[in-house]
Amino acid sequence: MEFTIKQLKEKGKELIRLKDYDAAIKIFKEIITQAPQDYYSLDVLGFLNYMTGRFEEARLNCRESLAVKPDNYYAYKGLGLCLVRLGKPEEGIENIKKSIALNPTYFDSYYDLAVTYMELKQYDQARLYFTEAGNVDGKRKSEIEQALRYLDTLEAAQ
């Protein structure tokens, strides 16, 4: 039985919801085979590869997505995170900042940049971007407060 791309995406999304990332990767690879310009599926594939520790593959997915849609803020954020994991934090930060420039209302870019700075022990920058994330999405105030408290403990331990 042949599935449409729409059916494959629904099946893939369900597998993601169930956290069966390896099975979802197979589905989204099939979609890309049929529709190589589908930047949404490239983004999802990048996410899945990142979540399974395949950072180089995820980086390539993000690059492919950006080749299709050069203003894709989500792909820039993903690319940045991959580069950080691949030992290129400066280049990673630059790409996450491109994501913010393209979509200044996207919470995840600020939050992920803050976490990146926190991991690099650049606590002032982490605090700045956690605060910016909270300004972008006030509904996530408790999440930001928790992150800032954790940041306080890290700073105090230094």
Side-chain angles (χ1 to χ4, degrees):
M1 179 176 165
E2 195 76 19
F3 291 102
T4 67
I5 288 175
K6 183 178 178 182
Q7 290 169 322
L8 287 170
K9 283 182 182 179
E10 290 306 315
K11 184 171 174 56
K13 288 178 192 176
E14 178 62 16
L15 290 167
I16 292 168
R17 192 184 67 72
L18 297 171
K19 297 197 182 332
D20 190 349
Y21 295 150
D22 287 328
I25 286 172
K26 290 177 185 168
I27 297 286
F28 282 96
K29 280 185 177 180
E30 175 60 30
I31 293 169
I32 296 305
T33 300
Q34 294 181 35
Q37 300 295 305
D38 184 348
Y39 71 88
Y40 169 82
S41 293
L42 286 165
D43 289 345
V44 173
L45 194 54
F47 163 79
L48 291 166
N49 279 315
Y50 183 89
M51 293 300 290
T52 56
R54 299 174 179 111
F55 304 124
E56 182 57 30
E57 288 179 53
R59 185 189 70 79
L60 293 173
N61 299 138
C62 293
R63 290 263 189 228
E64 291 173 37
S65 180
L66 287 166
V68 174
K69 185 173 174 27
D71 64 343
N72 185 344
Y73 65 90
Y74 184 84
Y76 273 113
K77 178 188 75 86
L79 177 59
L81 292 174
C82 291
L83 290 166
V84 169
R85 293 291 170 248
L86 291 167
K88 299 178 180 180
E90 297 84 13
E91 194 178 339
I93 287 168
E94 183 180 309
N95 279 280
I96 299 170
K97 286 182 177 180
K98 283 181 188 175
S99 173
I100 290 170
L102 287 167
N103 185 350
T105 64
Y106 185 53
F107 173 90
D108 289 1
S109 294
Y110 293 96
Y111 192 89
D112 289 345
L113 186 53
V115 169
T116 298
Y117 277 124
M118 186 171 65
E119 290 173 351
L120 295 170
K121 295 181 174 41
Q122 295 180 25
Y123 299 129
D124 289 341
Q125 288 296 319
R127 186 172 308 286
L128 172 73
Y129 283 99
F130 278 130
T131 301
E132 285 298 315
N135 292 338
V136 166
D137 188 348
K139 294 176 185 166
R140 297 175 82 170
K141 185 179 179 182
S142 66
E143 186 177 348
I144 296 301
E145 288 172 351
Q146 181 180 0
L148 289 170
R149 282 192 303 274
Y150 180 65
L151 186 58
D152 289 340
T153 63
L154 291 175
E155 284 182 300
Q158 246 188 327

